[in-house]
Amino acid sequence: MSTQLNLQATFYSREETQGNPPATGIFGSTLSEALSGRGLLQCAVDPNVIALKTNFTLILWDGRQVQASALDTGTAIIGNKIDIFVDTINEAINLGVKSVMAVLNGGSVDSRTYTVQPGDSLSAIAQKFYGDGSEQSWRKIYDANQAVIGPDPNQIQVGMVLIIP
């Protein structure tokens, strides 16, 4: 069984670290490297929330999934926050703050997933999986994916990968 954590993501860059090692002494990959399959994404975490050296799946704000590792800490990373390692300061600034989801225990999503198709709604997706498109049913899907979908359940986007609890 996996644990899903909704997190507020900020970003820090390779330029900012100036080659200094992360808290664990283990270097990871930047977001662009990890998305292209070149290593685990280096993340700074609150070790009281995600233990250091934990590998996990990070579901990004746009629904993409990347394999990540808790390799660093940061003074501003307290509670359900995560700092994602990127290539440049400009990239970190441009990305700003995003909502993401970490899937712990086993490092991958262990429940069903569904990729949003044109014309889909949460109600239609709930109908497909549960045989019931009621608010109670679609809200289960929304609650499990709020980090991906955002604050408005009507704003699902084609291509988002949703967890179906």
Side-chain angles (χ1 to χ4, degrees):
M1 186 72 178
S2 65
T3 300
Q4 300 168 5
L5 297 172
N6 291 319
L7 304 169
Q8 181 184 59
T10 53
F11 303 86
Y12 70 116
S13 74
R14 178 174 278 148
E15 293 172 344
E16 292 171 281
T17 63
Q18 300 176 350
N20 293 318
T24 59
I26 302 167
F27 288 93
S29 299
T30 64
L31 180 60
S32 63
E33 292 167 341
L35 284 170
S36 64
R38 294 180 284 150
L40 293 174
L41 174 62
Q42 177 176 313
C43 297
V45 300
D46 179 340
N48 295 314
V49 177
I50 301 175
L52 287 174
K53 299 184 181 178
T54 298
N55 293 340
F56 56 95
T57 299
L58 191 64
I59 302 175
L60 302 176
W61 54 96
D62 60 5
R64 292 180 295 170
Q65 297 182 23
V66 63
Q67 297 305 302
S69 191
L71 298 175
D72 207 356
T73 59
T75 56
I77 307 304
I78 299 169
N80 280 32
K81 294 185 178 180
I82 190 167
D83 216 5
I84 298 172
F85 195 48
V86 295
D87 291 300
T88 67
I89 293 172
N90 280 342
E91 184 181 3
I93 292 168
N94 289 335
L95 284 166
V97 178
K98 304 283 187 185
S99 293
V100 298
M101 180 186 294
V103 182
L104 309 174
N105 299 340
S108 62
V109 177
D110 71 351
S111 55
R112 298 173 288 183
T113 61
Y114 176 77
T115 302
V116 176
Q117 304 298 311
D120 273 343
S121 65
L122 289 177
S123 179
I125 296 167
Q127 182 69 39
K128 286 178 191 175
F129 284 92
Y130 306 135
D132 174 15
S134 70
E135 181 174 356
Q136 180 179 0
S137 292
W138 68 252
R139 187 147 303 271
K140 287 182 207 173
I141 298 170
Y142 176 67
D143 290 344
N145 293 281
Q146 191 169 1
V148 173
I149 297 169
D152 185 346
N154 296 311
Q155 296 300 312
I156 62 172
Q157 304 292 321
V158 171
M160 283 180 170
V161 178
L162 303 179
I163 294 168
I164 308 299

